[in-house]
């Protein structure tokens, strides 16, 4: 069976975060046509899907008797733990010439594995909270790093998301518990010096800044009443969407530089303003099912794939409501 749908949205259908639905709606609003939604797991290593290269690159899923020649490929919502299984497919997409912003596997790796992230930030001189990488350390090694960072740190897995398995550590007993946790999960991990990112009310706060090229698309402030919890909504933080120009220019520029430093054309940057600003990380796929995420992020992201030169699809911008 051949499918002549122009645009393919490729996401991991086991994910429940909701970004896939936002992208599908964005494609429909911009082009007037429903995209073909495919499960990225077919194209992981060991999956039954393939990209057949040639003058007309074709996505093939034999089990579904499906073949499609995409005019553009929108890739999103690939879980961090599975991204290493997607790299061969990404390389094939890059060779194919199909318009897609998700083809650079090394950039994904730089952003996904925080050990690479801190190296990239350091290489270009981006301000960041000091971190020490640990990989199955002895307790004595971890304690030495803990002392060096002032005995007020955050531990986080080298690969993770959503504030999971992240702990605020200020005592040797807490550090021991963190060591045991990462030993059980088999994770490499980092100790990061506390950024003292408190607002005037004593609450922790940081910003999520979504960047596309040199443009800031969306700014959201996260405020966390619990000083020992990460600034993630899933961990109880309160989020407020701000106009991009509400963020100081130097912080907007910092977000753009951070995204470029890991090699991504698009990403969600977590940063704090204290002492001039510092960057924590760059997210490959910031969640789109959030307030104003559709109009501020999903639509521009789709439009970046669907330029007339790349895909030959004139965008129907008259159907978009201006962001206020």
């Amino acid at each position: 069976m051949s499918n002549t749908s122009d645009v393919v949205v490729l996401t991991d259908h086991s994910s429940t975060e909701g970004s896939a639905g936002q992208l599908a709606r964005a494609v429909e609003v911009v082009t007037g046509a429903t995209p073909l939604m495919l499960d990225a797991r077919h194209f992981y290593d060991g999956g039954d899907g393939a990209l057949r290269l040639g003058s007309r690159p074709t996505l093939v899923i034999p089990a579904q008797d499906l073949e499609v020649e995409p005019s553009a490929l929108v890739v999103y919502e690939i879980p961090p733990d599975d991204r290493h299984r997607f790299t061969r497919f990404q390389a094939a997409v890059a060779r194919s010439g199909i318009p897609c912003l998700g083809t650079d596997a090394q950039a994904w790796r730089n952003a996904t594995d925080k050990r690479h992230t801190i190296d990239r930030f350091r290489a270009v001189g981006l301000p960041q909270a000091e971190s020490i990488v640990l990989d199955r350390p002895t307790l004595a090694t971890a304690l030495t790093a803990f002392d060096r960072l002032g005995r007020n740190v955050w531990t986080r897995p080298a690969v993770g998301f959503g504030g999971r398995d992240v702990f605020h550590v200020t005592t040797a007993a807490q550090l021991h518990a963190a060591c045991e946790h990462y030993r059980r999960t088999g994770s490499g991990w980092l100790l990061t010096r506390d950024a003292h990112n408190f607002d005037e009310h004593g609450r922790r706060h940081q910003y999520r800044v979504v960047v596309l090229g040199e443009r800031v698309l969306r700014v959201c402030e996260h405020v966390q009443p619990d000083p020992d919890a990460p600034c993630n909504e899933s961990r109880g933080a309160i989020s407020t969407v701000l106009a991009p120009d509400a963020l100081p220019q130097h912080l907007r520029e910092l977000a753009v530089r951070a995204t470029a430093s890991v090699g991504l054309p698009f990403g969600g940057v977590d940063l704090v303003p204290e002492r001039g600003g510092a960057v924590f990380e760059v997210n490959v796929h910031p969640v789109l099912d959030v307030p104003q995420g559709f109009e501020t992020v999903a639509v521009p992201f789709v439009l970046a794939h669907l330029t007339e030169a790349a895909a030959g699809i004139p965008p129907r911008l008259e159907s978009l409501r201006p962001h206020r």
Side-chain angles (χ1 to χ4, degrees), residues 5-132:
S5 183
D6 281 316
V7 180
V8 172
V9 174
L10 192 65
T11 63
D12 187 315
H13 288 190
S14 68
S15 173
T16 59
E17 72 175 38
S19 293
Q22 298 294 311
L23 289 168
R25 186 160 67 99
V27 172
E28 188 165 2
V29 165
V30 171
T31 69
T34 302
L36 178 63
M37 307 294 291
L38 294 182
D39 192 338
R41 292 176 294 179
H42 289 291
F43 302 97
Y44 290 172
D45 290 346
D48 63 333
L51 174 57
R52 191 167 63 218
L53 300 179
S55 60
R56 302 176 69 177
T58 304
L59 293 173
V60 180
I61 304 177
Q64 297 182 5
D65 192 26
L66 183 144
E67 296 186 5
V68 59
E69 300 168 7
S71 61
L73 178 64
V74 180
V75 176
Y76 219 84
E77 215 168 337
I78 309 297
D81 286 338
D82 289 317
R83 289 174 187 163
H84 69 283
R85 302 172 58 199
F86 200 59
T87 57
R88 293 183 186 180
F89 177 75
Q90 287 175 284
V93 173
R95 293 194 302 271
S96 75
I98 299 171
C100 180
L101 294 184
T103 61
D104 192 336
Q106 183 59 56
W108 281 29
R109 187 177 300 113
N110 289 342
T112 301
D113 189 325
K114 303 306 178 284
R115 292 166 291 196
H116 292 294
T117 304
I118 63 174
D119 287 343
R120 293 306 308 149
F121 289 172
R122 186 181 297 119
V124 299
L126 282 174
Q128 59 179 315
E130 184 181 1
S131 295
I132 297 174

Side-chain angles (χ1 to χ4, degrees), residues 142-178:
L143 281 167
T144 298
F146 183 49
D147 287 337
R148 174 179 158 184
L149 295 178
R151 300 180 72 85
N152 184 2
V153 303
W154 291 82
T155 71
R156 50 184 173 150
V159 176
F161 68 102
R164 298 178 186 175
D165 301 319
V166 175
F167 309 106
H168 186 209
V169 171
T170 58
T171 69
Q174 291 172 332
L175 182 68
H176 185 217

Side-chain angles (χ1 to χ4, degrees), residues 41-320:
R41 292 176 294 179
H42 289 291
F43 302 97
Y44 290 172
D45 290 346
D48 63 333
L51 174 57
R52 191 167 63 218
L53 300 179
S55 60
R56 302 176 69 177
T58 304
L59 293 173
V60 180
I61 304 177
Q64 297 182 5
D65 192 26
L66 183 144
E67 296 186 5
V68 59
E69 300 168 7
S71 61
L73 178 64
V74 180
V75 176
Y76 219 84
E77 215 168 337
I78 309 297
D81 286 338
D82 289 317
R83 289 174 187 163
H84 69 283
R85 302 172 58 199
F86 200 59
T87 57
R88 293 183 186 180
F89 177 75
Q90 287 175 284
V93 173
R95 293 194 302 271
S96 75
I98 299 171
C100 180
L101 294 184
T103 61
D104 192 336
Q106 183 59 56
W108 281 29
R109 187 177 300 113
N110 289 342
T112 301
D113 189 325
K114 303 306 178 284
R115 292 166 291 196
H116 292 294
T117 304
I118 63 174
D119 287 343
R120 293 306 308 149
F121 289 172
R122 186 181 297 119
V124 299
L126 282 174
Q128 59 179 315
E130 184 181 1
S131 295
I132 297 174
V133 176
L134 300 171
D135 192 3
R136 299 184 182 277
T138 64
L139 181 58
T141 298
L143 281 167
T144 298
F146 183 49
D147 287 337
R148 174 179 158 184
L149 295 178
R151 300 180 72 85
N152 184 2
V153 303
W154 291 82
T155 71
R156 50 184 173 150
V159 176
F161 68 102
R164 298 178 186 175
D165 301 319
V166 175
F167 309 106
H168 186 209
V169 171
T170 58
T171 69
Q174 291 172 332
L175 182 68
H176 185 217
C179 282
E180 286 300 299
H181 175 82
Y182 297 123
R183 182 188 62 78
R184 289 193 302 271
T185 60
S187 302
W189 51 292
L190 289 77
L191 286 181
T192 300
R193 188 189 298 274
D194 190 285
H196 298 286
N197 51 319
F198 297 104
D199 66 10
E200 65 274 16
H201 303 293
R203 304 170 301 180
R204 289 197 183 270
H205 81 298
Q206 67 186 52
Y207 296 100
R208 164 66 60 85
V209 184
V210 180
V211 170
L212 177 63
E214 296 186 354
R215 289 190 293 153
V216 170
L217 302 180
R218 183 176 188 269
V219 175
C220 189
E221 183 177 30
H222 299 291
V223 176
Q224 173 59 269
D226 182 352
D228 297 318
C231 280
N232 297 83
E233 286 185 272
S234 60
R235 300 293 300 273
I238 300 166
S239 297
T240 304
V241 180
L242 306 177
D245 58 7
L247 193 68
Q249 177 67 22
H250 74 281
L251 294 181
R252 299 200 301 272
E253 292 174 353
L254 184 60
V256 170
R257 289 177 58 209
T259 307
S261 76
V262 296
L264 291 172
F266 167 85
V269 182
D270 291 333
L271 56 79
V272 295
E274 281 70 27
R275 289 171 295 282
V279 184
F280 289 146
E281 63 182 1
V282 181
N283 296 268
V284 176
H285 296 149
V287 176
L288 301 178
D289 190 17
V290 292
Q292 301 178 22
F294 174 74
E295 61 268 37
T296 63
V297 182
V299 168
F301 183 69
V302 166
L303 283 169
H305 293 73
L306 304 183
T307 62
E308 185 174 356
I313 302 174
R316 305 193 330 166
L317 295 179
E318 73 279 1
S319 63
L320 301 181

